[in-house]
């Protein structure tokens, strides 16, 4: 995908960004988009600026078949002099490219950027428990999961070597295990999550898709208690802790081959 094209069309104190996980510095410039987005993703495009200005601004997509932008909602607008955010619910509808345009009070084009939407051709899984220990753990190629337990994995989508931003379009299908894509507050909603609860031991697979586009299959192995060879207890550091603070502890189970066994209750 080409680098995002940015055009500053008028002098403005308003900036445009999104709230996807891959947008690490959303208000670093006039336009900061984490494009390309994964097809099917649902996220917010954000306008940041003085509340008095934002009330009269609009955000449009030149191609609603690529990126569909809903009605904006203003927050933190108690004082016209204060900065506020206007959030626009956005869906990455279809593969392609579109111009995202900020319109001022009289319909003039204030900011413009190019957003790409891509269908993923690969994915990586990262275990929720590994993410508690490391910011960016190694992906898990073939997870070993515990029968009767619950294992959760973050699904990261890619187009070639490019990570795709956004979440909410994940679809799953499996005949061998209970699989869910959580819709509650258990996991952060800026990523896609796969929750697996196998009912019997053995090898099985889960088909993944995003926005209705098939991406590939996850191969897993479900095991029972007799496959767990050891359990290590990993504790959060006490550096900086004070009396009465809670220290987190994770039980890290492995089989004889040294593979991590996820979801041991």
């Amino acid at each position: 995908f080409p680098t995002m094209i940015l055009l500053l069309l008028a002098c403005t104190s308003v900036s445009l960004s999104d709230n996807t996980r891959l947008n690490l510095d959303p208000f670093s410039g006039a336009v900061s988009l984490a494009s390309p987005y994964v097809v099917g993703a649902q996220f917010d495009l954000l306008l940041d600026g003085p509340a008095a200005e934002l009330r009269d601004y609009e955000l449009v997509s030149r191609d609603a078949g690529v990126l569909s932008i809903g009605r904006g909602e203003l927050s933190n607008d108690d004082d016209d002099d204060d900065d506020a955010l206007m959030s626009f619910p956005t869906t990455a509808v279809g593969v392609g490219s579109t111009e995202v345009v900020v319109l001022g009070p009289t319909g003039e084009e204030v900011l413009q950027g190019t957003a790409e939407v891509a269908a993923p051709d690969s994915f990586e899984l990262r275990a929720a428990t590994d993410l508690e220990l490391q910011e960016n753990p190694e992906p898990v190629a073939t997870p070993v999961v515990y029968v009767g337990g619950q294992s959760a994995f973050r699904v990261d989508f890619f187009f070639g070597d490019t990570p795709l931003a956004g979440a909410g379009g994940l679809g799953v299908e499996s005949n061998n295990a209970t699989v869910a894509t959580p819709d509650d507050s258990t996991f952060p909603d800026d990523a896609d999550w796969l929750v697996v609860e196998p009912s019997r031991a053995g090898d099985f697979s889960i088909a993944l898709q995003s926005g209705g586009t098939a991406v590939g299959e996850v191969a897993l192995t479900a095991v029972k208690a007799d496959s767990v060879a050891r359990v290590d207890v990993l504790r959060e550091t006490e550096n900086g802790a004070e009396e009465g603070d809670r220290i987190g502890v994770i039980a890290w189970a492995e089989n004889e081959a040294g593979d991590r066994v996820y979801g041991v209750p």
Side-chain angles (χ1 to χ4, degrees):
F1 281 92
T3 302
M4 183 187 68
I5 301 171
L6 168 64
L7 299 177
L8 303 182
L9 301 174
C11 182
T12 179
S13 56
V14 173
S15 60
L16 170 66
S17 67
D18 63 53
N19 66 346
T20 63
R21 182 176 60 84
L22 297 184
N23 201 345
L24 302 179
D25 194 7
F27 299 113
S28 60
V31 176
S32 176
L33 300 179
S35 171
Y37 303 103
V38 62
V39 65
Q42 301 172 26
F43 55 95
D44 289 335
L45 288 174
L46 307 172
L47 286 184
D48 177 57
E53 290 187 37
L54 291 184
R55 288 192 183 94
D56 299 319
Y57 276 56
E58 294 184 41
L59 187 63
V60 298
S61 169
R62 296 290 194 200
D63 190 342
V66 175
L67 209 63
S68 175
I69 302 176
R71 183 182 297 274
E73 181 177 341
L74 190 63
S75 61
N76 304 326
D77 61 342
D78 295 335
D79 190 329
D80 286 351
D81 295 329
D82 289 343
D83 276 354
L85 277 179
M86 182 172 279
S87 302
F88 295 82
T90 304
T91 302
V93 179
V95 173
S97 173
T98 184
E99 303 288 329
V100 178
V101 182
V102 180
L103 300 177
T106 61
E108 75 277 15
E109 295 187 6
V110 177
L111 291 175
Q112 181 176 304
T114 299
E116 309 282 351
V117 175
D121 54 18
S122 65
F123 63 89
E124 293 178 348
L125 299 183
R126 287 174 172 79
T129 47
D130 293 348
L131 288 162
E132 292 181 19
L133 298 173
Q134 302 177 47
E135 183 175 348
N136 188 34
E138 289 295 314
V140 185
T142 307
V144 179
V145 295
Y146 192 85
V147 173
Q150 184 181 85
S151 306
F153 302 89
R154 191 183 76 195
V155 184
D156 299 332
F157 289 111
F158 295 82
F159 179 79
D161 295 329
T162 303
L164 299 179
L170 176 64
V172 299
E173 183 177 348
S174 176
N175 296 324
N176 309 84
T178 300
V179 185
T181 54
D183 56 3
D184 55 28
S185 59
T186 306
F187 301 97
D189 60 6
D190 59 358
D192 284 312
W193 297 91
L194 179 68
V195 180
V196 183
E197 299 178 5
S199 57
R200 60 179 177 82
D203 297 330
F204 62 98
S205 63
I206 300 171
L208 299 186
Q209 57 180 241
S210 185
T213 299
V215 184
E217 292 190 346
V218 179
L220 302 97
T221 299
V223 299
K224 294 184 178 180
D226 56 4
S227 293
V228 178
R230 66 188 66 83
V231 177
D232 292 331
V233 176
L234 308 178
R235 55 180 293 162
E236 187 180 359
T237 178
E238 292 186 25
N239 293 339
E242 299 178 356
E243 176 124 8
D245 286 352
R246 292 178 180 270
I247 301 298
V249 176
I250 292 179
W252 181 294
E254 294 182 348
N255 60 16
E256 282 289 358
D259 300 318
R260 177 83 178 274
V261 180
Y262 294 97
V264 177

